[in-house]
mmCIF file of all heavy atoms in Angstrom:
data_model
loop_
_atom_site.group_PDB
_atom_site.id
_atom_site.type_symbol
_atom_site.label_atom_id
_atom_site.label_comp_id
_atom_site.label_asym_id
_atom_site.label_seq_id
_atom_site.Cartn_x
_atom_site.Cartn_y
_atom_site.Cartn_z
ATOM 1 N N GLU A 15 108.245 117.478 113.773
ATOM 2 C CA GLU A 15 109.707 117.502 113.830
ATOM 3 C C GLU A 15 110.201 117.282 115.255
ATOM 4 O O GLU A 15 111.172 116.566 115.495
ATOM 5 C CB GLU A 15 110.214 118.849 113.287
ATOM 6 C CG GLU A 15 111.667 118.838 112.898
ATOM 7 C CD GLU A 15 111.991 117.877 111.758
ATOM 8 O OE1 GLU A 15 111.201 117.772 110.809
ATOM 9 O OE2 GLU A 15 113.057 117.237 111.835
ATOM 10 N N THR A 17 108.744 115.582 117.654
ATOM 11 C CA THR A 17 108.576 114.170 118.005
ATOM 12 C C THR A 17 109.683 113.329 117.387
ATOM 13 O O THR A 17 110.250 112.461 118.033
ATOM 14 C CB THR A 17 107.196 113.645 117.530
ATOM 15 O OG1 THR A 17 106.185 114.420 118.147
ATOM 16 C CG2 THR A 17 107.018 112.181 117.871
ATOM 17 N N SER A 20 112.954 113.523 119.233
ATOM 18 C CA SER A 20 112.985 112.852 120.532
ATOM 19 C C SER A 20 112.811 111.338 120.414
ATOM 20 O O SER A 20 112.829 110.631 121.409
ATOM 21 C CB SER A 20 111.890 113.418 121.438
ATOM 22 O OG SER A 20 110.622 113.096 120.914
ATOM 23 N N VAL A 31 117.469 88.221 115.667
ATOM 24 C CA VAL A 31 118.796 88.564 116.178
ATOM 25 C C VAL A 31 118.762 88.692 117.698
ATOM 26 O O VAL A 31 119.724 88.347 118.384
ATOM 27 C CB VAL A 31 119.303 89.860 115.513
ATOM 28 C CG1 VAL A 31 120.576 90.363 116.157
ATOM 29 C CG2 VAL A 31 119.512 89.640 114.028
ATOM 30 N N ARG A 43 120.634 80.796 131.235
ATOM 31 C CA ARG A 43 119.608 81.518 131.988
ATOM 32 C C ARG A 43 118.222 81.106 131.489
ATOM 33 O O ARG A 43 118.040 80.778 130.322
ATOM 34 C CB ARG A 43 119.778 83.012 131.825
ATOM 35 C CG ARG A 43 120.969 83.536 132.603
ATOM 36 C CD ARG A 43 120.893 85.022 132.732
ATOM 37 N NE ARG A 43 122.095 85.538 133.371
ATOM 38 C CZ ARG A 43 122.407 86.807 133.407
ATOM 39 N NH1 ARG A 43 121.617 87.709 132.848
ATOM 40 N NH2 ARG A 43 123.502 87.204 134.004
ATOM 41 N N LEU A 84 96.925 80.187 119.813
ATOM 42 C CA LEU A 84 97.219 79.358 120.978
ATOM 43 C C LEU A 84 96.974 80.136 122.259
ATOM 44 O O LEU A 84 97.164 81.347 122.298
ATOM 45 C CB LEU A 84 98.686 78.900 120.943
ATOM 46 C CG LEU A 84 99.099 77.994 119.795
ATOM 47 C CD1 LEU A 84 100.596 77.791 119.794
ATOM 48 C CD2 LEU A 84 98.374 76.668 119.870
ATOM 49 N N ARG A 112 85.403 82.790 117.968
ATOM 50 C CA ARG A 112 84.460 81.799 117.464
ATOM 51 C C ARG A 112 84.463 81.870 115.943
ATOM 52 O O ARG A 112 85.241 82.617 115.331
ATOM 53 C CB ARG A 112 83.057 82.058 118.031
ATOM 54 C CG ARG A 112 82.966 82.123 119.560
ATOM 55 C CD ARG A 112 83.624 81.010 120.345
ATOM 56 N NE ARG A 112 83.142 79.688 119.995
ATOM 57 C CZ ARG A 112 83.832 78.574 120.191
ATOM 58 N NH1 ARG A 112 85.030 78.618 120.729
ATOM 59 N NH2 ARG A 112 83.346 77.416 119.853
ATOM 60 N N ILE A 152 98.554 71.305 114.117
ATOM 61 C CA ILE A 152 97.738 71.084 115.298
ATOM 62 C C ILE A 152 98.600 70.547 116.423
ATOM 63 O O ILE A 152 99.235 69.502 116.288
ATOM 64 C CB ILE A 152 96.586 70.102 114.977
ATOM 65 C CG1 ILE A 152 95.768 70.648 113.811
ATOM 66 C CG2 ILE A 152 95.727 69.855 116.204
ATOM 67 C CD1 ILE A 152 94.836 69.645 113.185
#
Side-chain angles (χ1 to χ4, degrees):
E15 198 63 40
T17 301
S20 66
V31 172
R43 287 196 185 168
L84 296 172
R112 305 311 303 157
I152 304 166

